[in-house]
Amino acid sequence: MSRLVMKFGGTSVGDVERIARVARIVAAERKPGRGLAVVVSAMSGETDRLVGLARASAGETPNGGGLPAKDFNDEYDVIVSTGEQVTTGLLALALRRIGIPARSWQNWQIPFRTDDAHSKARIFEIEESELGASMDAGVVAVIPGFQGVTDDRRITTLGRGGSDTSAVAVAAALKAERCDIYTDVDGVYTTDPRIVPKAQRLEKISYEEMLEMASLGAKVLQTRSVELAFAHRVPVRVLSSFVEPGEPNPGTLVCPEEEIVEKQVVSGVAYSRDEAKVTLLGVEDHPGVAAEIFDALANANINVDMIVQSEARQEGRQNILFTCPEREAARAAETIEAIKGKIGVDEIHIRRDVAKVSVIGIGMRSQVGVAKTMFAALAQKGINIEAIATSEIKISVLIDAAYTELAVRALHTAYGLDAA
Ligand code: ASP
Ligand code: MG
């Protein structure tokens, strides 16, 4: 007996015609000895609509107000989780209509157990015995993504975009051969094709590269779903839901590194404009100062990314620069302002018009000169680098946001990624 998990996102189930096509795609994957589970998102736009209703009912206005999170999030989950419930019923009907036995399984019926962190819950366990037995008996299981149930039998949701994570978690629990994520793009590309028309679909990409790409701004898969796939070594395929069964639809396979024979030095170029740079000038230079600063930022829940420390002109002083998401920049500056007395900073500056551009590739581990190619390509376009961060398989630079597209194009060409 083998098992396959398929997942369809919001645009793929956006109306009844599209749901009928999803049913045809599912039908084409049925074969003797293979159980099928299909995880679905809410119809496109539906979750946003439900979020709006929840906020309005809690008295929130564009100027603020509403209930505090502790009185809001549990019922928010009750409301927004209904979007997926509707899709499960619709798809089960569409499958039955073409002669395929199918049933929906709601989160509490499986159950799909999570912690009680409402609106951003994490999955503990999926009890798959009844579900798996039904699938193995030939009934297609249709499961709502994005949600679960606590031990107190309250409904939870996993955070926006969480259906990818649900699908991978179900695949891991069912020990599925693969998790196929059907979406509105036909795979993972070397970079954003809207910026670089010569971007190419990757046939395969390693978990680690995909993880970097997802967390650096590529929007195909939710980062947590890739972490989960990596941890449980679930092969994940990303492919188009707009292709009729029988037509070519190879997609991209996200898989263990060992399965990739030709390791590219660079497999992709990612970018993010949601970056701000905070510069601290004239910070005292003695042990414990950096700890003081980053402890305060962590306590304020600020997501610090790049960090650069350099000597200042004055004796006994240093400059520290860090980046964080744009919406957290003002709070970051306030946090530093509050500990000014302890760290002795002269000036705090925020710059919001910066972007992070990154190149990613497992081949970097064994190749020299990768950074040099990047810096030379940027220099040739006259793009100044404001900060650099590296990991074993990634180099990121911070640049003026106005040059984002130019930088992405230049790097895509420099690493030989342009399609012929
Ligand atoms: N429907 C949820 C959302 O829009 C979950 C998902 O689609 O992944 O965020
Ligand atoms: Mg999504």
Side-chain angles (χ1 to χ4, degrees):
M1 209 65 208
S2 75
R3 289 164 176 175
L4 178 71
V5 175
M6 308 169 77
K7 183 256 169 180
F8 293 88
T11 44
S12 313
V13 294
D15 57 38
V16 171
E17 282 76 48
R18 287 182 177 183
I19 292 174
R21 177 166 49 207
V22 167
R24 292 195 292 279
I25 296 173
V26 173
E29 290 292 352
R30 272 188 106 220
K31 56 184 186 198
R34 182 195 242 182
L36 292 180
V38 187
V39 175
V40 290
S41 286
M43 297 165 85
S44 56
E46 184 60 11
T47 308
D48 287 339
R49 188 182 74 86
L50 294 167
V51 169
L53 285 176
R55 293 204 171 127
S57 208
E60 199 177 308
T61 70
N63 306 320
L67 291 164
K70 69 173 181 32
D71 298 327
F72 179 70
N73 289 347
D74 55 346
E75 298 303 339
Y76 162 93
D77 283 350
V78 170
I79 298 158
V80 299
S81 63
T82 60
E84 274 74 11
Q85 176 165 343
V86 170
T87 317
T88 58
L90 293 175
L91 180 58
L93 292 179
L95 284 162
R96 288 179 185 174
R97 185 173 151 201
I98 57 171
I100 298 190
R103 69 156 279 193
S104 65
W105 291 80
Q106 300 316 312
N107 53 54
W108 52 273
Q109 293 168 328
I110 298 176
F112 200 113
R113 294 174 54 214
T114 71
D115 63 17
D116 62 359
H118 286 285
S119 84
K120 48 174 188 302
R122 296 188 82 98
I123 305 159
F124 287 151
E125 197 194 6
I126 299 170
E127 282 170 29
E128 58 79 34
S129 51
E130 224 187 306
L131 172 73
S134 166
M135 288 165 58
D136 294 347
V139 183
V140 175
V142 188
I143 300 169
F146 176 57
Q147 53 200 273
V149 62
T150 66
D151 288 343
D152 297 340
R153 280 173 281 127
R154 301 248 33 208
I155 290 172
T156 54
T157 63
L158 308 180
R160 297 302 304 267
S163 294
D164 293 342
T165 302
S166 307
V168 173
V170 168
L174 289 168
K175 302 194 171 48
E177 60 190 90
R178 206 174 58 234
C179 180
D180 283 348
I181 306 230
Y182 286 82
T183 176
D184 50 1
V185 293
D186 66 351
V188 180
Y189 275 71
T190 47
T191 195
D192 186 344
R194 286 168 305 182
I195 292 189
V196 183
K198 286 185 171 174
Q200 306 185 60
R201 182 180 50 79
L202 293 160
E203 215 161 292
K204 288 183 177 179
I205 184 169
S206 69
Y207 294 123
E208 279 168 285
E209 289 169 311
M210 192 64 234
L211 204 49
E212 292 281 8
M213 294 247 221
S215 54
L216 290 168
K219 291 190 184 63
V220 242
L221 291 175
Q222 203 203 24
T223 308
R224 246 163 81 194
S225 71
V226 186
E227 281 168 2
L228 205 60
F230 190 13
H232 296 273
R233 295 178 80 82
V234 178
V236 173
R237 194 160 58 126
V238 177
L239 67 174
S240 169
S241 64
F242 297 144
V243 175
E244 284 293 334
E247 289 170 24
N249 193 7
T252 299
L253 186 71
V254 189
C255 62
E257 191 174 324
E258 307 83 76
E259 284 173 33
I260 300 174
V261 185
E262 286 240 352
K263 296 189 176 44
Q264 297 291 328
V265 175
V266 168
S267 324
V269 182
Y271 67 93
S272 152
R273 291 196 180 90
D274 178 22
E275 307 285 333
K277 179 175 87 168
V278 182
T279 312
L280 313 178
L281 296 178
V283 181
E284 277 171 25
D285 192 8
H286 58 73
V289 172
E292 195 76 59
I293 293 172
F294 293 100
D295 190 46
L297 292 169
N299 288 336
N301 235 326
I302 288 159
N303 225 321
V304 173
D305 179 25
M306 298 168 138
I307 302 173
V308 180
Q309 179 183 331
S310 57
E311 250 169 65
R313 268 206 210 104
Q314 316 104 284
E315 187 72 25
R317 296 281 172 155
Q318 55 173 329
N319 300 330
I320 293 181
L321 163 173
F322 64 87
T323 64
C324 65
E326 266 189 67
R327 64 187 173 286
E328 295 174 8
R331 210 148 43 82
E334 284 162 24
T335 306
I336 302 295
E337 195 66 52
I339 55 164
K340 216 172 167 174
K342 290 193 206 162
I343 60 167
V345 59
D346 286 336
E347 290 172 41
I348 304 170
H349 297 288
I350 302 179
R351 234 193 100 184
R352 290 189 171 79
D353 54 348
V354 287
K356 183 172 65 172
V357 178
S358 312
V359 297
I360 300 131
I362 40 176
M364 265 182 220
R365 290 203 185 114
S366 55
Q367 189 86 21
V368 295
V370 185
K372 183 202 75 186
T373 305
M374 182 175 203
F375 303 152
L378 296 173
Q380 218 176 38
K381 300 286 178 195
I383 301 170
N384 192 39
I385 300 171
E386 307 195 18
I388 302 168
T390 63
S391 79
E392 220 190 350
I393 64 160
K394 169 201 82 179
I395 308 168
S396 299
V397 294
L398 193 73
I399 61 169
D400 186 330
Y403 297 116
T404 312
E405 304 197 352
L406 184 62
V408 170
R409 272 191 223 111
L411 295 172
H412 200 266
T413 305
Y415 288 104
L417 295 173
D418 290 351

